[in-house]
Amino acid sequence: MHLLLIRHGQSQNNYLEQDPDYLKGRLPDPPLTELGRQQASRLAEWAACDEFYRRITHLYTSLTTRAVQTAAPLAQTLGLSVHGLVQAYECGGLNSGPAGGFTPVLGRDHTSLQMECPVLQWPEELEGKAWDGGCEAWEDRRFKERAANVLTQLQAIASEADVITLITHQDFAQYLLAHVLGLPSRRGHALTFLFNNTATAHIELRANGKGSVHRIAHWINRTSHLNSDLITH
Ligand SMILES: O=C(O)[C@@H](CO)OP(=O)(O)O
C-alpha cells in the first residue's frame, strides 16, 4: 500500500500563530484562510497532472473544517469521494483553547460539512450523529494509540497497489509517520518532521514475500505544487 499523508492548507489559527494574542484569538475548528484555499487548489491542480497523484484510489480526511475544505478541490479534480475518518483529527481534539479553559467543543455534522465538500461520505460509526470533536487530554499514549488505529483501518481497506490519501494535521502526522516508519516514540510538542500546509508525505509499505514489510519513505514535506510565496507553516 502507498500512504499519502497531506496536511491541510493554512488555517486561520496557523495564520494567527505569528500574533502575540494568538492564544486569545484561537478558534476551536478554524476554516482555511484565503491563502489556505489557494494552497488546496494548487495541490488539486498538481494532482491532475502528476502521474503518482493520478493513481490515488482512496481519499480520507479528518473531520475538522480545515481538512475537509482542503479535501474538496482534490476530490473534485480526481473524481473521487472523500471518506471521513473519525480518529484522524489533530492532537487534543476540538476545544476552546487556553483562553476558554480547554472546554470540549463539538464537531460539525454531515450536512454542514457537505457544504464544504459535497462528496464527503460520513463514517458509519457516526450514522445520524455529529462528530463529538474528539477532545482529549494531551497524553502521548493517546496520540500513539490513535495513530496505530488509523493505520490499521487504512491497511484493512487497502490492497498492495492502492494509493490511500489522508488529509490530516501537523502534530498528528508526527505520530502517524513515527508509527508507519517504526521510529522510536516522540513526546510532547517537539516536531520530528517539518510538515508545511498542504505538504505531502509518501510512504510505501511493501510485503517482501518473507512475512515482513519494507517501509519506504519516498518523500516527506513535499511542496512542489506551491511557489515559494505560498509556502506556510
Ligand atoms: O492544531 C493546530 O492549530 C496545529 C498545531 O500545530 O496543527 P494543524 O494546523 O496541522 O491542525
Side-chain angles (χ1 to χ4, degrees), residues 8 25 86 100 111 145 165 178 229:
H8 58 78
V86 177
T111 309
E145 198 177 291
T165 296
D229 60 331

Side-chain angles (χ1 to χ4, degrees), residues 183-202:
L183 301 178
S185 64
R186 65 186 281 273
R187 295 198 159 269
H189 287 273
L191 293 179
T192 306
F193 301 103
L194 186 63
F195 206 30
N196 289 324
N197 293 117
T198 64
T200 67
H202 172 198

Side-chain angles (χ1 to χ4, degrees), residues 7-14 17 22 26-28 30 64 66 89-91 93 138 168-173 189 191 195-197 233:
R7 185 179 173 204
H8 58 78
Q10 185 194 53
S11 70
Q12 260 181 41
N13 285 357
N14 297 151
E17 269 160 29
Y22 162 64
R26 194 179 178 280
L27 297 169
T64 60
R66 57 198 183 279
Y89 59 88
E90 181 57 309
C91 299
W138 194 274
T168 186
H169 301 265
Q170 172 174 254
D171 287 335
F172 191 57
H189 287 273
L191 293 179
F195 206 30
N196 289 324
N197 293 117
H233 183 62

Side-chain angles (χ1 to χ4, degrees), residues 86-105:
V86 177
Q87 296 201 55
Y89 59 88
E90 181 57 309
C91 299
L94 303 192
N95 61 70
S96 57
F102 293 104
T103 308
V105 170

